[in-house]
Amino acid sequence: MSKNAIYSQLTSESGEKFSTKAADYAIKNLKVNYKKNALVKAKSYSNDQHMSKQGILDQLTSESGEKFTAEEAQYAVDNLKANYNKNALAKAKTYYNDQHMSKDSVKEQLTSDYGEKFTEEEAQYALNHLE
């Protein structure tokens, strides 16, 4: 978890309900490598959800996501050994086979800023290897 996510969990009414003073103490005394934590999360997003590089970066830094700093998230994607072509193909297969989308619609979903955020090259690779 990120520092902000841990703090939120500790102080949340739906979480641990610690006081801010107690949470501040806990955060201050944790010996954590947040860049390593971000990399572990990034690996999970790539391996389990087949996300794009930009999608992972956005999820890691999102206030409604993992809440890592921009520096921690950038470290994670820079050090992640992911095959984004393979991830794009896995997503494309889901859209094409399970949701019966056309290839044009699949490409749009893969590259859209509101969709998967793969590069044009990664999306084209996926379409070329679909079926």
Side-chain angles (χ1 to χ4, degrees):
M1 292 178 78
S2 69
K3 180 189 253 184
N4 287 336
I6 293 169
Y7 186 85
S8 294
Q9 181 64 31
L10 290 173
T11 58
S12 171
E13 283 299 312
S14 58
E16 304 302 324
K17 300 180 184 177
F18 283 102
S19 70
T20 56
K21 184 177 179 180
D24 287 338
Y25 176 84
I27 294 293
K28 183 178 178 184
N29 289 286
L30 273 177
K31 303 290 187 248
V32 177
N33 182 334
Y34 292 109
K35 288 181 178 178
K36 182 179 175 187
N37 285 4
L39 180 56
V40 168
K41 272 296 191 187
K43 285 179 185 176
S44 174
Y45 285 127
S46 179
N47 295 338
D48 301 337
Q49 297 182 37
H50 312 291
M51 292 175 71
S52 67
K53 183 176 186 176
Q54 188 60 52
I56 293 169
L57 190 61
D58 291 350
Q59 185 65 28
L60 291 176
T61 58
S62 172
E63 277 301 309
S64 56
E66 303 300 333
K67 302 180 184 182
F68 284 101
T69 66
E71 180 184 350
E72 292 160 351
Q74 192 62 56
Y75 171 87
V77 296
D78 288 348
N79 289 280
L80 180 62
K81 291 174 177 55
N83 183 333
Y84 295 110
N85 284 337
K86 181 180 168 187
N87 287 0
L89 179 56
K91 285 288 188 178
K93 285 180 179 179
T94 298
Y95 290 124
Y96 189 70
N97 296 328
D98 299 344
Q99 297 182 24
H100 310 291
M101 293 171 66
S102 70
K103 286 187 176 184
D104 287 342
S105 294
V106 170
K107 186 172 184 184
E108 176 62 27
Q109 184 65 28
L110 291 177
T111 58
S112 171
D113 284 340
Y114 301 103
E116 302 297 337
K117 301 179 182 179
F118 284 100
T119 65
E120 288 287 331
E121 294 80 13
E122 292 159 350
Q124 193 58 55
Y125 172 89
L127 293 177
N128 290 346
H129 293 87
L130 197 56
E131 296 187 63

